[in-house]
Amino acid sequence: MESRVQRSEKAERVRVPFFRVALDEAEIEAVERVLRSGWLTTGAECAAFEKEFAEAIGGGVDAVAVNSNTAGMHLALEALGIKDGDEVIVPVLTFTATAEVVRYLGADPVFVDIDPGTLCVTADAIEKKITPRTRAIMPVHFGGLPCDMTAILRLAAARGLPLVEDAAHAFPTSHNGIPVGAHGSAAAVFSFYANKTITTGEGGMVVSTDKELIKRVRIMRLHGIDRDVFRRHTDKPGLWRYDVVAPGYKYNLTDIAAALGRRQLRRAGALRNARKAIAERYDRAFAKLPLVLPAQAGPGDADSYHLYIVQVAEGSPIDRDRFTAVLEAEGIGYSVHYTPLHQLSYWRDRYGLRDEDFPAATDYAQRCVSLPLYPSMNDEEVERVIAAVAGAFG
Ligand SMILES: *Cc1c(COP(=O)(O)O)cnc(C)c1O
């Protein structure tokens, strides 16, 4: 028979995972209803999800559901006519998808370093990278904090350049009291990947007030099929008739996923508040440790609290790798968001990128650790993370 001491030691060895999705019964039932309905792919659930998401963003946007943020960013750039030989400005600190979609179209990403305080890009840094070949700018609202959209929109308007926001971390995030997605950029693209702020398993949403862009994204999301074009040129009856206007893509979202998304959307505020409460506990507990804590949102701004990233400070007794070794020994899941693109071989070699060209992202990359931050964390798990982090520096 196990002694009580042995049992509690065993319990302590259970990992606190970096992330754990926790769906409620209403979400599971919504998916089940679709599974029993006889219709699985893009249909009424997707249409309702698009409408409800657009309403959540506000500002008169339309929304198009897609099967990933990556697909959505690809479609937005395609709709803007980005092509071979063009340049698109992209933060060097992002997930590879932001730059990858530029290459899908034969264009070249031009990388810009981050502001070390916010981990976002600034209008000043973007401006220095604009050339006669620049055709678009892709700000990333990093970790859930908004970029300074006021300054970036002003720059984009002055230079006549469209913005495609990578809003993968930014639901619900706002700047100057206005939700990300409603600032009037050409498009903002959200992610519903499993570990994002709301999820459909895999999924994404393109939002825009530009009716032409929305129309092109809708057509290209499903094979370039255009039913309206056909109807305009014929009076033949038959709902089966359609025309193909371009070699489009297979980027549509299923109704199974959309049903989950609609329920998650209703909980988005509560999920965000649950993450916020944990982030605030971490802030208090870590205040005296040699760690740089996440930047606070500016006045009028709101953070989605997607990631809780600490950076091991200058002069800390242990470096990042020693810190993560302690987390590992204590069974605390962690991650790194992200290795900056200039340190990944494809981007580094293709564009001859060097650490000294991106001092802020290079410095960040050797100090950063993302800690667990998700609504289903229980008190004991939060306390275990706090104890492990404090122990590492104590
Ligand atoms: C997750 C993520 C993406 C990709 O999202 P998918 O929905 O998985 O395609 C793009 N950019 C950033 C910054 C991300 O974190």
mmCIF file of all heavy atoms in Angstrom, residues 229-250:
data_model
loop_
_atom_site.group_PDB
_atom_site.id
_atom_site.type_symbol
_atom_site.label_atom_id
_atom_site.label_comp_id
_atom_site.label_asym_id
_atom_site.label_seq_id
_atom_site.Cartn_x
_atom_site.Cartn_y
_atom_site.Cartn_z
ATOM 1 N N VAL A 229 -21.205 35.496 -60.872
ATOM 2 C CA VAL A 229 -20.769 35.759 -62.243
ATOM 3 C C VAL A 229 -21.610 34.943 -63.215
ATOM 4 O O VAL A 229 -22.117 35.455 -64.205
ATOM 5 C CB VAL A 229 -19.268 35.408 -62.434
ATOM 6 C CG1 VAL A 229 -18.914 35.289 -63.908
ATOM 7 C CG2 VAL A 229 -18.406 36.458 -61.768
ATOM 8 N N PHE A 230 -21.818 33.673 -62.882
ATOM 9 C CA PHE A 230 -22.584 32.827 -63.783
ATOM 10 C C PHE A 230 -24.017 33.351 -63.935
ATOM 11 O O PHE A 230 -24.536 33.466 -65.032
ATOM 12 C CB PHE A 230 -22.604 31.379 -63.284
ATOM 13 C CG PHE A 230 -23.149 30.456 -64.324
ATOM 14 C CD1 PHE A 230 -22.316 29.918 -65.294
ATOM 15 C CD2 PHE A 230 -24.509 30.166 -64.375
ATOM 16 C CE1 PHE A 230 -22.831 29.108 -66.287
ATOM 17 C CE2 PHE A 230 -25.026 29.348 -65.363
ATOM 18 C CZ PHE A 230 -24.176 28.817 -66.323
ATOM 19 N N ARG A 231 -24.632 33.715 -62.805
ATOM 20 C CA ARG A 231 -26.032 34.158 -62.859
ATOM 21 C C ARG A 231 -26.177 35.443 -63.658
ATOM 22 O O ARG A 231 -27.188 35.662 -64.311
ATOM 23 C CB ARG A 231 -26.594 34.349 -61.445
ATOM 24 C CG ARG A 231 -26.987 32.999 -60.862
ATOM 25 C CD ARG A 231 -27.714 33.119 -59.535
ATOM 26 N NE ARG A 231 -27.451 31.897 -58.785
ATOM 27 C CZ ARG A 231 -26.856 31.835 -57.621
ATOM 28 N NH1 ARG A 231 -26.476 32.929 -57.001
ATOM 29 N NH2 ARG A 231 -26.627 30.692 -57.036
ATOM 30 N N ARG A 232 -25.142 36.287 -63.586
ATOM 31 C CA ARG A 232 -25.206 37.544 -64.325
ATOM 32 C C ARG A 232 -25.256 37.297 -65.840
ATOM 33 O O ARG A 232 -25.772 38.108 -66.586
ATOM 34 C CB ARG A 232 -23.982 38.402 -63.971
ATOM 35 C CG ARG A 232 -24.355 39.810 -63.576
ATOM 36 C CD ARG A 232 -23.124 40.611 -63.193
ATOM 37 N NE ARG A 232 -22.525 40.177 -61.939
ATOM 38 C CZ ARG A 232 -21.210 40.037 -61.722
ATOM 39 N NH1 ARG A 232 -20.350 40.281 -62.690
ATOM 40 N NH2 ARG A 232 -20.763 39.654 -60.557
ATOM 41 N N HIS A 233 -24.659 36.204 -66.299
ATOM 42 C CA HIS A 233 -24.539 35.973 -67.735
ATOM 43 C C HIS A 233 -25.513 34.944 -68.287
ATOM 44 O O HIS A 233 -25.395 34.539 -69.419
ATOM 45 C CB HIS A 233 -23.097 35.559 -68.068
ATOM 46 C CG HIS A 233 -22.109 36.638 -67.747
ATOM 47 N ND1 HIS A 233 -22.072 37.829 -68.434
ATOM 48 C CD2 HIS A 233 -21.157 36.719 -66.785
ATOM 49 C CE1 HIS A 233 -21.127 38.588 -67.911
ATOM 50 N NE2 HIS A 233 -20.560 37.952 -66.912
ATOM 51 N N THR A 234 -26.456 34.538 -67.464
ATOM 52 C CA THR A 234 -27.400 33.543 -67.970
ATOM 53 C C THR A 234 -28.747 33.702 -67.279
ATOM 54 O O THR A 234 -28.811 34.215 -66.172
ATOM 55 C CB THR A 234 -26.882 32.099 -67.742
ATOM 56 O OG1 THR A 234 -27.831 31.198 -68.297
ATOM 57 C CG2 THR A 234 -26.729 31.785 -66.268
ATOM 58 N N ASP A 235 -29.790 33.283 -67.934
ATOM 59 C CA ASP A 235 -31.068 33.219 -67.237
ATOM 60 C C ASP A 235 -31.488 31.765 -67.053
ATOM 61 O O ASP A 235 -32.609 31.476 -66.689
ATOM 62 C CB ASP A 235 -32.139 34.030 -67.975
ATOM 63 C CG ASP A 235 -32.142 33.727 -69.460
ATOM 64 O OD1 ASP A 235 -31.577 32.658 -69.840
ATOM 65 O OD2 ASP A 235 -32.679 34.537 -70.232
ATOM 66 N N LYS A 236 -30.525 30.838 -67.291
ATOM 67 C CA LYS A 236 -30.843 29.420 -67.096
ATOM 68 C C LYS A 236 -31.063 29.143 -65.613
ATOM 69 O O LYS A 236 -30.336 29.634 -64.768
ATOM 70 C CB LYS A 236 -29.677 28.540 -67.585
ATOM 71 C CG LYS A 236 -29.525 28.491 -69.094
ATOM 72 C CD LYS A 236 -28.683 27.257 -69.485
ATOM 73 C CE LYS A 236 -28.261 27.333 -70.941
ATOM 74 N NZ LYS A 236 -26.967 28.036 -71.078
ATOM 75 N N PRO A 237 -32.078 28.353 -65.278
ATOM 76 C CA PRO A 237 -32.280 28.009 -63.867
ATOM 77 C C PRO A 237 -31.277 26.940 -63.420
ATOM 78 O O PRO A 237 -30.599 26.349 -64.265
ATOM 79 C CB PRO A 237 -33.698 27.450 -63.856
ATOM 80 C CG PRO A 237 -33.877 26.870 -65.223
ATOM 81 C CD PRO A 237 -33.022 27.657 -66.167
ATOM 82 N N GLY A 238 -31.213 26.710 -62.126
ATOM 83 C CA GLY A 238 -30.386 25.608 -61.606
ATOM 84 C C GLY A 238 -29.344 26.096 -60.638
ATOM 85 O O GLY A 238 -28.409 26.793 -61.033
ATOM 86 N N LEU A 239 -29.511 25.732 -59.352
ATOM 87 C CA LEU A 239 -28.572 26.164 -58.313
ATOM 88 C C LEU A 239 -27.203 25.515 -58.469
ATOM 89 O O LEU A 239 -26.230 25.961 -57.900
ATOM 90 C CB LEU A 239 -29.140 25.814 -56.929
ATOM 91 C CG LEU A 239 -30.256 26.745 -56.436
ATOM 92 C CD1 LEU A 239 -30.866 26.198 -55.141
ATOM 93 C CD2 LEU A 239 -29.728 28.167 -56.215
ATOM 94 N N TRP A 240 -27.150 24.432 -59.289
ATOM 95 C CA TRP A 240 -25.885 23.725 -59.439
ATOM 96 C C TRP A 240 -24.912 24.482 -60.329
ATOM 97 O O TRP A 240 -23.727 24.208 -60.342
ATOM 98 C CB TRP A 240 -26.134 22.325 -60.025
ATOM 99 C CG TRP A 240 -26.852 22.374 -61.349
ATOM 100 C CD1 TRP A 240 -28.203 22.356 -61.542
ATOM 101 C CD2 TRP A 240 -26.257 22.495 -62.643
ATOM 102 N NE1 TRP A 240 -28.493 22.449 -62.871
ATOM 103 C CE2 TRP A 240 -27.323 22.521 -63.575
ATOM 104 C CE3 TRP A 240 -24.942 22.541 -63.115
ATOM 105 C CZ2 TRP A 240 -27.098 22.625 -64.961
ATOM 106 C CZ3 TRP A 240 -24.721 22.648 -64.478
ATOM 107 C CH2 TRP A 240 -25.804 22.696 -65.388
ATOM 108 N N ARG A 241 -25.428 25.495 -61.065
ATOM 109 C CA ARG A 241 -24.555 26.172 -62.033
ATOM 110 C C ARG A 241 -23.585 27.127 -61.343
ATOM 111 O O ARG A 241 -23.964 27.856 -60.443
ATOM 112 C CB ARG A 241 -25.396 26.983 -63.022
ATOM 113 C CG ARG A 241 -26.262 26.121 -63.908
ATOM 114 C CD ARG A 241 -27.136 26.998 -64.784
ATOM 115 N NE ARG A 241 -28.250 26.253 -65.317
ATOM 116 C CZ ARG A 241 -28.164 25.442 -66.378
ATOM 117 N NH1 ARG A 241 -27.019 25.294 -67.002
ATOM 118 N NH2 ARG A 241 -29.221 24.779 -66.777
ATOM 119 N N TYR A 242 -22.345 27.099 -61.790
ATOM 120 C CA TYR A 242 -21.370 28.066 -61.270
ATOM 121 C C TYR A 242 -20.287 28.293 -62.305
ATOM 122 O O TYR A 242 -20.150 27.525 -63.254
ATOM 123 C CB TYR A 242 -20.755 27.580 -59.957
ATOM 124 C CG TYR A 242 -19.987 26.284 -60.042
ATOM 125 C CD1 TYR A 242 -18.650 26.273 -60.461
ATOM 126 C CD2 TYR A 242 -20.570 25.072 -59.683
ATOM 127 C CE1 TYR A 242 -17.938 25.077 -60.535
ATOM 128 C CE2 TYR A 242 -19.871 23.889 -59.748
ATOM 129 C CZ TYR A 242 -18.549 23.895 -60.182
ATOM 130 O OH TYR A 242 -17.855 22.728 -60.253
ATOM 131 N N ASP A 243 -19.532 29.369 -62.108
ATOM 132 C CA ASP A 243 -18.378 29.640 -62.951
ATOM 133 C C ASP A 243 -17.124 29.589 -62.080
ATOM 134 O O ASP A 243 -17.193 29.763 -60.859
ATOM 135 C CB ASP A 243 -18.524 31.031 -63.595
ATOM 136 C CG ASP A 243 -17.545 31.219 -64.741
ATOM 137 O OD1 ASP A 243 -16.949 30.207 -65.210
ATOM 138 O OD2 ASP A 243 -17.363 32.368 -65.162
ATOM 139 N N VAL A 244 -15.969 29.365 -62.709
ATOM 140 C CA VAL A 244 -14.676 29.433 -62.013
ATOM 141 C C VAL A 244 -13.903 30.585 -62.624
ATOM 142 O O VAL A 244 -13.703 30.617 -63.839
ATOM 143 C CB VAL A 244 -13.906 28.100 -62.137
ATOM 144 C CG1 VAL A 244 -12.447 28.265 -61.704
ATOM 145 C CG2 VAL A 244 -14.591 27.025 -61.302
ATOM 146 N N VAL A 245 -13.517 31.543 -61.778
ATOM 147 C CA VAL A 245 -12.883 32.761 -62.283
ATOM 148 C C VAL A 245 -11.378 32.797 -62.034
ATOM 149 O O VAL A 245 -10.690 33.681 -62.529
ATOM 150 C CB VAL A 245 -13.545 34.031 -61.681
ATOM 151 C CG1 VAL A 245 -15.006 34.118 -62.115
ATOM 152 C CG2 VAL A 245 -13.436 34.053 -60.154
ATOM 153 N N ALA A 246 -10.854 31.848 -61.241
ATOM 154 C CA ALA A 246 -9.416 31.800 -60.945
ATOM 155 C C ALA A 246 -9.107 30.439 -60.334
ATOM 156 O O ALA A 246 -10.015 29.779 -59.828
ATOM 157 C CB ALA A 246 -9.048 32.915 -59.958
ATOM 158 N N PRO A 247 -7.827 30.021 -60.367
ATOM 159 C CA PRO A 247 -7.455 28.765 -59.686
ATOM 160 C C PRO A 247 -7.371 29.045 -58.187
ATOM 161 O O PRO A 247 -6.320 29.398 -57.669
ATOM 162 C CB PRO A 247 -6.090 28.414 -60.285
ATOM 163 C CG PRO A 247 -5.503 29.732 -60.660
ATOM 164 C CD PRO A 247 -6.650 30.649 -61.006
ATOM 165 N N GLY A 248 -8.503 28.903 -57.501
ATOM 166 C CA GLY A 248 -8.584 29.263 -56.078
ATOM 167 C C GLY A 248 -8.019 28.171 -55.189
ATOM 168 O O GLY A 248 -7.320 27.267 -55.648
ATOM 169 N N TYR A 249 -8.350 28.263 -53.908
ATOM 170 C CA TYR A 249 -7.769 27.373 -52.902
ATOM 171 C C TYR A 249 -8.874 26.601 -52.190
ATOM 172 O O TYR A 249 -10.061 26.841 -52.431
ATOM 173 C CB TYR A 249 -6.962 28.200 -51.898
ATOM 174 C CG TYR A 249 -5.924 29.045 -52.581
ATOM 175 C CD1 TYR A 249 -6.176 30.390 -52.871
ATOM 176 C CD2 TYR A 249 -4.712 28.500 -52.998
ATOM 177 C CE1 TYR A 249 -5.226 31.166 -53.529
ATOM 178 C CE2 TYR A 249 -3.760 29.273 -53.657
ATOM 179 C CZ TYR A 249 -4.028 30.603 -53.917
ATOM 180 O OH TYR A 249 -3.105 31.365 -54.572
ATOM 181 N N LYS A 250 -8.476 25.678 -51.324
ATOM 182 C CA LYS A 250 -9.436 24.882 -50.542
ATOM 183 C C LYS A 250 -9.244 25.269 -49.079
ATOM 184 O O LYS A 250 -8.607 24.576 -48.313
ATOM 185 C CB LYS A 250 -9.167 23.395 -50.771
ATOM 186 C CG LYS A 250 -10.218 22.484 -50.122
ATOM 187 C CD LYS A 250 -11.590 22.648 -50.759
ATOM 188 C CE LYS A 250 -12.588 21.595 -50.331
ATOM 189 N NZ LYS A 250 -13.019 21.681 -48.970
#
